[in-house]
């Protein structure tokens, strides 16, 4: 089923071709027609499955030919849990929206940066992408009104509910018109999602895309038995020996992320840390430099593990294991995306061994292990 069979607005077909979207992904085959028909949608799909385009394309199509919105009255509201995801979703709207005959104004608003430019930017907005707290601030100061919203998207809804946005979400939902289209996307279907689904969605089309086995198949996983003290030298050895050019390293704390990045730099490997204690500007800059290959190693906390798309990232290192097996899969899912091969390396200390077994069992896949004792780390 080609993209041209859905009834998307013709200008989008050109952009799809231009972006090398040759065939719709499974989620897109189901979600696009449902949204075009005006149905509510509950999409359970892992990151990397193509969910963003699955809602952006039909929403842009639906916005064409509508009467002009009142000033500062957004038509589409996309709620997201993090600033990074807000920026990323905006990019997808802009890439696809920029060729449309009728101009669509898209803005992303989030906390941690000055509110004034956002207030000005909301002039003439059609599509508003927002984290909940900042959105409420902007509504309270009358910079934007939600009374004309006809489509609501909750992206990474599981994360949003986890992060305790519930009260803010209730306040936002109370401000929306009752008659609207609701689209909810989540990587997992848990009790909270089931609850919010009942409150929010009206006779939804439910689409469940399994955590892609095929995706995991594209990721070569390897574990290194290593002691805590040897992790630094081992990381440098792996990067230098294999001449890795673009590596995402995960740590479990902000302190550790800074520390690992510092040590890499001291040893002549270009690295930057990215985590919640960095300013939004620094985070955006680091991410875009990393994406474009100007930074060799990005050291991140789990802030980045979900939702952020870095096209076909070749190498991910778990410097420290995440607590939950799901987070492990999200982390390694940064590679092996868009059908490109990737490699995921995990450092396993003696204390981690039991936990790593649990992770592998949950994942349904056993990882080849290498003992770093047998590697000469002198000089690294
Ligand atoms: P997402 O799950 O929305 O983060 O998308 C994952 C990645 O897949 C992004 O890099 C998209 O640009 C890419 N993508 C989404 N749909 C398609 C498609 N039909 N063909 C090729 N690439 C796609």
């Amino acid at each position: 089923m080609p993209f041209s069979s859905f009834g998307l607005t013709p200008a989008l077909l050109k952009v799809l071709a231009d972006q090398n979207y040759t065939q719709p992904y499974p989620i897109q085959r189901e979600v696009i027609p449902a949204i075009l028909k005006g149905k509510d949608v509950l999409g359970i799909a892992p990151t990397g499955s193509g969910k963003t385009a699955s809602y952006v394309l039909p929403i842009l199509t639906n916005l064409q030919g509508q009467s002009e919105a009142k000033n500062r009255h957004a038509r589409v509201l996309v709620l997201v849990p993090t600033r990074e995801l807000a920026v990323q979703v905006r990019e997808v709207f802009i890439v696809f929206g920029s060729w449309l005959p009728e101009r669509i104004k898209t803005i992303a608003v989030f906390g941690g940066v000055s509110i004034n430019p956002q207030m000005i930017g909301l002039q003439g907005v059609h599509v508003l992408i927002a984290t909940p707290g900042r959105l409420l601030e902007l509504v309270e100061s009358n910079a934007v009104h939600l009374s004309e919203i006809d489509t609501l998207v909750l992206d990474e809804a599981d994360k949003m509910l986890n992060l305790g946005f519930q009260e803010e979400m209730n306040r936002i939902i109370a401000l929306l018109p009752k008659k609207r289209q609701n689209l909810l996307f989540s990587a997992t279907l848990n009790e909270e999602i089931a609850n919010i689904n009942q409150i929010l969605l009206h006779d939804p089309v439910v689409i469940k895309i399994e955590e892609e086995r095929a995706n995991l198949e594209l990721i070569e996983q390897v574990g290194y038995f290593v002691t805590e003290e040897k992790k630094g030298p081992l990381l440098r050895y792996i990067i230098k020996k294999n001449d890795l050019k673009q590596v995402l390293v995960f740590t479990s704390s902000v302190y550790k992320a800074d520390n690992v990045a510092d040590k890499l730099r001291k040893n002549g490997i270009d690295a930057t840390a990215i985590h919640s204690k960095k300013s939004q500007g620094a985070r955006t800059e680091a991410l875009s430099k990393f994406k474009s290959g100007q930074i060799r190693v990005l050291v991140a906390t789990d802030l980045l593990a979900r939702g952020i798309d870095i096209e076909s990232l070749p190498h991910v290192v778990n410097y420290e294991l995440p607590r939950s097996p799901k987070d492990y899969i999200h982390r390694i899912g940064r590679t092996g995306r868009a059908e490109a091969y990737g490699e995921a390396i995990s450092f396993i200390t003696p204390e981690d061994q039991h936990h790593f077994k649990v992770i592998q069992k949950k994942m349904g896949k056993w990882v080849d292990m290498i003992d770093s004792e047998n590697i000469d780390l002198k000089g690294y």
Side-chain angles (χ1 to χ4, degrees):
M1 182 191 285
F3 276 112
S4 58
S5 66
F6 293 128
L8 291 167
T9 203
L12 288 176
L13 298 178
K14 293 202 196 92
V15 194
L16 282 162
D18 189 54
Q19 294 291 312
N20 289 326
Y21 281 38
T22 46
Q23 287 291 322
Y25 285 172
I27 186 162
Q28 294 160 354
R29 284 202 281 273
E30 307 208 34
V31 170
I32 293 174
I35 297 181
L36 288 175
K37 272 192 217 133
K39 303 286 287 180
D40 278 9
V41 168
L42 172 60
I44 306 295
T47 336
S49 55
K51 70 169 162 49
T52 320
S54 82
Y55 66 80
V56 169
L57 295 166
I59 284 177
L60 287 173
T61 299
N62 287 344
L63 278 173
Q64 294 296 288
Q66 283 198 359
S67 58
E68 193 53 36
K70 280 191 255 169
N71 191 20
R72 296 189 180 275
H73 285 70
R75 302 300 280 267
V76 175
L77 175 63
V78 184
L79 290 174
V80 294
T82 62
R83 303 148 188 199
E84 281 77 10
L85 187 58
V87 170
Q88 190 179 300
V89 170
R90 180 192 56 196
E91 271 166 22
V92 180
F93 269 103
I94 287 174
V95 165
F96 286 112
S98 49
W99 296 94
L100 294 178
E102 287 170 49
R103 192 172 155 271
I104 303 289
K105 178 155 182 189
T106 302
I107 175 171
V109 299
F110 38 78
V113 292
S114 163
I115 197 166
N116 289 340
Q118 297 179 351
M119 286 178 162
I120 297 164
L122 282 160
Q123 190 85 268
V125 63
H126 298 100
V127 176
L128 174 57
I129 302 146
T131 53
R134 177 53 62 91
L135 175 63
L136 283 167
E137 278 180 72
L138 287 160
V139 168
E140 274 155 20
S141 52
N142 281 324
V144 68
H145 306 279
L146 303 181
S147 57
E148 305 276 311
I149 295 288
D150 39 38
T151 308
L152 169 70
V153 182
L154 290 193
D155 200 334
E156 302 273 344
D158 51 345
K159 189 85 179 288
M160 299 194 71
L161 298 171
N162 261 338
L163 291 177
F165 283 126
Q166 196 138 21
E167 200 223 309
E168 289 173 338
M169 298 255 297
N170 291 342
R171 283 174 59 202
I172 293 168
I173 288 164
L175 294 168
L176 304 176
K178 291 236 155 37
K179 192 170 171 309
R180 54 166 201 267
Q181 186 174 26
N182 299 293
L183 313 170
L184 196 154
F185 293 89
S186 170
T188 50
L189 182 57
N190 55 27
E191 205 175 311
E192 280 152 333
I193 297 295
N195 284 341
I196 191 152
N197 157 23
Q198 280 167 12
I199 301 165
L200 205 67
L201 303 185
H202 177 73
D203 187 21
V205 175
V206 180
I207 292 145
K208 191 160 192 280
I209 305 291
E210 294 298 327
E211 190 81 45
E212 262 186 75
R213 287 284 142 194
N215 220 340
L216 271 186
E217 296 310 319
L218 288 176
I219 305 170
E220 196 181 315
Q221 298 184 60
V222 54
Y224 284 87
F225 289 124
V226 60
T227 56
E228 196 58 48
E229 314 77 70
K230 293 246 175 85
K231 280 184 178 178
L234 179 62
L235 178 63
R236 298 190 285 273
Y237 166 86
I238 292 171
I239 293 172
K240 286 187 173 167
K241 190 91 183 162
N242 303 301
D243 196 21
L244 305 186
K245 298 277 192 271
Q246 198 184 30
V247 190
L248 179 58
V249 176
F250 281 109
T251 64
S252 47
S253 71
V254 168
Y255 165 78
K256 200 73 187 180
D258 281 334
N259 186 269
V260 170
D262 276 352
K263 290 228 170 94
L264 285 169
R265 277 196 304 272
K266 281 192 185 120
N267 284 278
I269 298 172
D270 186 21
T272 300
I274 180 169
H275 50 64
S276 55
K277 294 277 176 337
K278 294 257 172 167
S279 74
Q280 181 52 34
R283 279 150 69 171
T284 311
E285 189 188 334
L287 198 59
S288 80
K289 280 190 164 166
F290 181 63
K291 282 190 191 185
S292 66
Q294 292 172 69
I295 295 177
R296 191 172 178 190
V297 184
L298 194 65
V299 188
T301 56
D302 276 309
L303 177 76
L304 270 197
R306 284 192 189 210
I308 298 303
D309 175 48
I310 301 174
E311 215 170 313
S312 56
L313 181 65
H315 308 282
V316 165
V317 177
N318 288 308
Y319 195 90
E320 290 165 309
L321 282 181
R323 244 176 280 149
S324 96
K326 262 191 215 129
D327 284 343
Y328 176 87
I329 293 174
H330 279 121
R331 282 184 182 186
I332 71 168
R334 308 296 85 208
T335 88
R337 307 187 95 195
E339 292 172 21
Y341 279 91
E343 182 189 31
I345 297 164
S346 298
F347 288 179
I348 310 298
T349 63
E351 295 76 41
D352 292 329
Q353 286 187 24
H354 174 69
H355 183 46
F356 194 49
K357 279 205 182 107
V358 175
I359 288 177
Q360 294 174 76
K361 210 164 161 193
K362 278 264 159 65
M363 175 169 62
K365 202 168 170 185
W366 296 100
V367 173
D368 289 338
M369 296 299 302
I370 297 171
D371 194 343
S372 66
E373 280 294 307
N374 303 327
I375 301 173
D376 184 7
L377 296 177
K378 250 188 252 125
Y380 285 98

